[in-house]
Amino acid sequence: MAYPYVSDREVRVLSKYFGDPTQRRLDTYVERGGYQALKKAFEMGQDAVIDEVKTSGLRGRGGAGFPAGVKWSFMPKQPTKPHYLLCNADESEPGTFKDRELMRWDPHQLIEGILIASYAIRAKHAYIYCRGEFFEATQVLAKAVEDAYAKGYAGADIMGSGNDIDITVHVGAGAYICGEETGLMNSLEGRRGQPRVKPPFPAAVGAFGMPSTVNNVETLSAVPHIITHGGQWYRQWGTEKSPGTKLFCVSGHVNKPGNYELPLGFPLMELIDDVCGGMRGGKALKAVIPGGSSVPLLNAEECGRCSLDYEGVQAVGSMLGCASVIVMDEDTDIVKQVRRMVQFYAHESCGQCTPCREGTAWMTKVLLRIEEGRGTEDDLDTLLEMSRQMTGTTICVLSDSAAAPVVSSIQKFKDEYLALIRRGERVGVA
Amino acid sequence: MSEVPFKNPGWAGNTGEFDLDEDQVRGDDFVGTRPREGGHPSGAATYPYMLPEKHPDAPLFEGEHKERFEKILTRYPNKQAALLPTLGLAQEVRGHVSPETMDRVAELLELSPAYVRGVTTFYTMYNKRPVGRYLVQVCTNISCNLCGADDVMEAFLRYTDTEIGETSEDGEFTVVEAECLAACGFPTCVQINSRYYENVTPADVPKIIERLKAEGAGGD
Amino acid sequence: MADTITLTIDGQEVSVPKGTTLLKAAEKVGKDVPHYCYHDGLSSPAMCRLCLVEVQGAPKPMPACVTQAMDGQVVGTESELALDMRRGVLEFYLVNHPLDCPICDMAGECHLQDYVHEEGRDHGRSREPKRVFGRDDFGGDVLFYGDRCVMCTRCVRFMNEVEQDQRLCVVERGNRSVIDTFFERGLEGTHWHGNIVDLCPVGALVSKDFLYKARAWDLDHTPSVCPSCSQGCNIELHTRDNLVQRLKPRENLEVNAFWMCDHGRLNYEWINRGERMEAPLVRDQGGVKAMGWKEALTLLVARLGDVEGTVKAVASPFASNEDLAALEALVESLGGGDIVYRMPRAEDEIVLKGFPTLARRRDLASNGRGADLLGLRRVGADDGTGGLEDVSAHAGVVIVLGDGLADQGADFASGAALRVHLGTHSGPAVAAADFVLPITTFAEQEGTFTNHEGRVQRFWPALKAPGLARPAWLVLGALVAEGTGTETPRRADEAFARLVAAHDAFSGLSYDDIGTRGAVVNDTVPLSGD
């Protein structure tokens, strides 16, 4: 069965079997070399596994980009309390749809990654926190976990190695903020999913008060490959500081939106023009959000200079985040889209911190008013001031994320705002 | 909306795919019914949209549901952590989480009812009021918005003859806006009960509604 | 010394133990960093973001309530950045906070008013409609004005952590979040919910009892001790127009921390009760005559000199140590005699689970222990009645101090040679006495109570006594002085010194020692109650 999004520019490491439903079957997975990495990891030993992942330079694929090996090394080497590995499958960032595909098509890859990571951090129990809306992906994953248990790849005495690792699939209930690592831990504990103050950090006090590590689905899916081929092998792609491949989720006004696995450092315009078949309808590019709705917008000129790795995107004034590239063409109504994004953050704010709770709602109301043509130029100053007060002042970065599109769109697309304010005219149509 | 027609191998949403059944569309039997008995320390997923309040006086969990509840309890180090899966299971049984249901759950897990209320209302997916047989959640977030989600939403409202956030008069459809459903490459994404419909255009909407009406009492 | 660190706050150096937060360290140099969600008696969620301070070298401003002080840190609580952050957060609060000051009880003691006035912007920039939640009755004594709430969650955390009866929760999330109870089930059945009104930094949680009664700036605050049980919670009497308007707890970490129970908090109306006796009344053949103190006491001293028979006395556990000691001294000087008191008792103790040394005790009066230590004997039933048969049948001298004799008739002690009553209100049993002398309540005099654990605590007068009413220790002290040819104590501390001199249990104590925190007696007298 042909998976719709294939480009010959792709390097399909994690996404090799996307579109192949037989990959969900344990026997197929094993035939294709599955669970050999796990076996190798057990033979290498826990610290060697951590070192290998450190060597690979794998950075967290959930948006923060923190090196995974370093994160694992924060866990105590001699556990005095139970450790937990938490797989963050709460994919809710607008524009992101890679984790769902990874869970649906290659669940065993994820499970193997989880098992290796749990082993490395001395955890005996891993929770996969799945987003509540992912019914099908959760079903696939749950079935895969059961099959793994049945054949001795998970649970007690895995593959006769003497290691016990349990996996529980936990389902969330619809809250973006539970994708934040401490929010996830609170939600797992049966509380409101509100982020916690750090310090203490999860490696000291995490889920149920025990040392925990939270990793994204894509990060964990990369681990078996790194163990099989070695950390150095992973570095053959990408850049010095951003090694490896990344699943880029392209959406918006391109001809072929979808997931494309490409080496980090790939030029943005090539992604749009070559891999995704260009702008739909041949329209001109207006703006791109390179890393999910939480990062600043880039205008067309900046896109031309942008290479898609963590440093490259930072160099043009944005962030790579989870590499969800949202492409907007010349007909886009920027004000409307920014308003919709801020509305999303207002809806999802947990309500603890004052700047976020009040600020996101206030910004939504101001933007709605501007959209309706009843805005003033003072409103733009107010929005910028609000954004400044919402950045760096809260427990988690949701309010920073809400402020980012506002600030960048006012800076780069001020004429659209002014058109609405001065003449009540919308520049775009969508 | 893409101008290049392609077959999305999972989902009915493209024109003409509606007469395939689940197995044909999905291609194999490993995605389909989830293990109903709750499985191993694994799935605790839920179907939240059963018809409301079947037997409000009966104990919350009976028989098969009671077994699943007990299995849920074994997966967490304490009862409080079992709260979210238990609420999901309660919603599966009762259709929505009413104050009485919150009270029962609180009793079962030895938590205070006010605490359970606080947690339940935090999460979007727990219905605080009864919903129609089909809960239509249309993603209107940015990626789908760029590709005409507002038109799809408007079409659903028109064809179900209801207001946004409300249930239609015949009790069949409740249409709400959803936040990003993580299917951004297949705009517009609509989740109806537990199933995703991707690449939905306004023209597809009447066909989807017809199909749902035809499925009728089978539930989902 | 390895556990002490030194840091600089606003240019001042300060040394604190390791583990101290910046908020507490700033307090040491006299800087109060504004805060809402932090409270000494509760957990610190660091969510109001009002206490953000500038820490040199840190990438962003840090919440002072949870950031631990480090050696050599340089902190600015009033630097430009800190002030800017605070101004921003205050503006965010005012986006949805209604301009209710003219009708809000909290005005005048409101932290939001104070902070905005000091450090907020002149004008808010929000032109959007505010979100509205309306007023909700939480049950018990609490009303909730949702619009005013700043979501500090102190109330929720108090019920969870201190009372440990989770009645409140935050419902919904984001800007739609609001505090609520479990639907119609409110705070009924809880015993400490009045504290959430104290905790609320704004006027979102208000006391129904105090609603619209008085403006905060009209009230005088007087430190006192709660009279309603033997815990002896440190309180303040808030008074206006010579009436007690409400009671508030006073911090004392050794007795009641920051809390007081609802029973004590709402049990103050009796202090305001009118129809007080205002002048000494003397009964003779011609009937009852009102007269001045000098005349009345001269007559009384003469009668005491003439009369035959032993003395039996009834005292009240609501009387202060000084009052009771003066009575005991008088009885001694008249040849000795039995002094009894009645104590209303509750069926059980109500312990505050989060601070277990604090409880609403079974003894429902403040000075039972003091009475015991001074040699008085407890009689009567748990409802505070009965036990006076001996006294009533007595043929000699009967002196009653403070006990209103509400359960006794006009024939009480009708066979006594001389009946003296010192009290606040009249009644059938009171009016029949030969000498009826008006005294003050604890709210109108200075004095001390001894709580259940033997802690002697001072209270101060908040109200002006009506008419000629005087403290009992002054009246009785004068009688003792006349009888023994000594000096009358003129001030409460002198009366206390006499008490200390006469009773070993109180040895070594003085008003200075006791101060505002209290001091524990060294005694071996067993408690007569539980």
Side-chain angles (χ1 to χ4, degrees), chain A residues 337-365:
Chain A
Q337 297 306 332
V338 170
R339 186 265 303 163
R340 185 61 184 85
M341 285 193 275
V342 174
Q343 201 174 321
F344 164 72
Y345 289 110
H347 185 224
E348 299 290 345
S349 166
C350 77
Q352 275 191 108
C353 304
T354 306
C356 177
R357 179 180 72 242
E358 305 289 347
T360 49
W362 186 12
M363 286 211 284
T364 312
K365 291 182 187 170

Side-chain angles (χ1 to χ4, degrees), chain A residues 1 5 21 24-25 91 93-97 100 104 125 127 131-136 139-140 142-143 145-146 149 167-171 173-175 177-178 187-193 208 251-253 255 257 280-281 289 326-328 332 336-337 340-341 344 347-348 350, chain B residues 1-3 6-7 9-11 26 28 30-32 34-35 39-48 75-78 80-81 83-85 115 118-119 121-126 140-143 145-147 150 177-186 191 193-194 196 198:
Chain A
M1 198 171 293
Y5 319 111
R24 297 170 184 146
R25 303 163 60 125
E91 180 177 54
E93 180 81 21
T96 315
F97 50 107
R100 179 168 159 257
R104 286 170 66 201
H125 201 152
Y127 285 92
R131 184 172 168 181
E133 288 88 339
F134 283 175
F135 289 98
E136 190 228 357
Q139 284 177 28
V140 171
K143 181 85 172 60
V145 167
E146 273 183 34
Y149 265 91
I167 302 184
T168 298
V169 176
H170 174 95
V171 175
I177 194 60
C178 294
S187 185
L188 184 64
E189 289 179 20
R191 302 178 202 278
R192 292 165 62 87
F208 312 110
S251 60
H253 298 151
N255 279 321
R280 68 168 193 194
I289 306 179
I326 305 174
V327 181
M328 298 186 241
T332 307
K336 176 185 173 200
Q337 297 306 332
R340 185 61 184 85
M341 285 193 275
F344 164 72
H347 185 224
E348 299 290 345
C350 77
Chain B
M1 232 350 268
S2 172
E3 282 180 24
F6 50 81
K7 277 194 185 160
W11 304 104
R26 291 193 176 120
D28 85 344
F30 286 92
V31 181
R34 62 170 298 284
H40 238 283
S42 58
T46 63
Y47 294 94
R75 290 179 208 134
Y76 302 92
N78 56 50
Q80 184 177 299
L83 180 55
L84 266 74
Y115 176 81
V119 174
T121 51
F122 183 84
Y123 297 97
T124 317
M125 284 181 67
Y126 297 128
T140 54
N141 214 320
I142 180 164
S143 299
N145 210 320
L146 289 168
C147 303
D150 288 341
E177 264 188 310
E179 303 295 355
C180 180
L181 291 168
C184 318
F186 321 89
Q191 184 177 7
N193 289 358
S194 57
Y196 273 33
E198 299 167 0

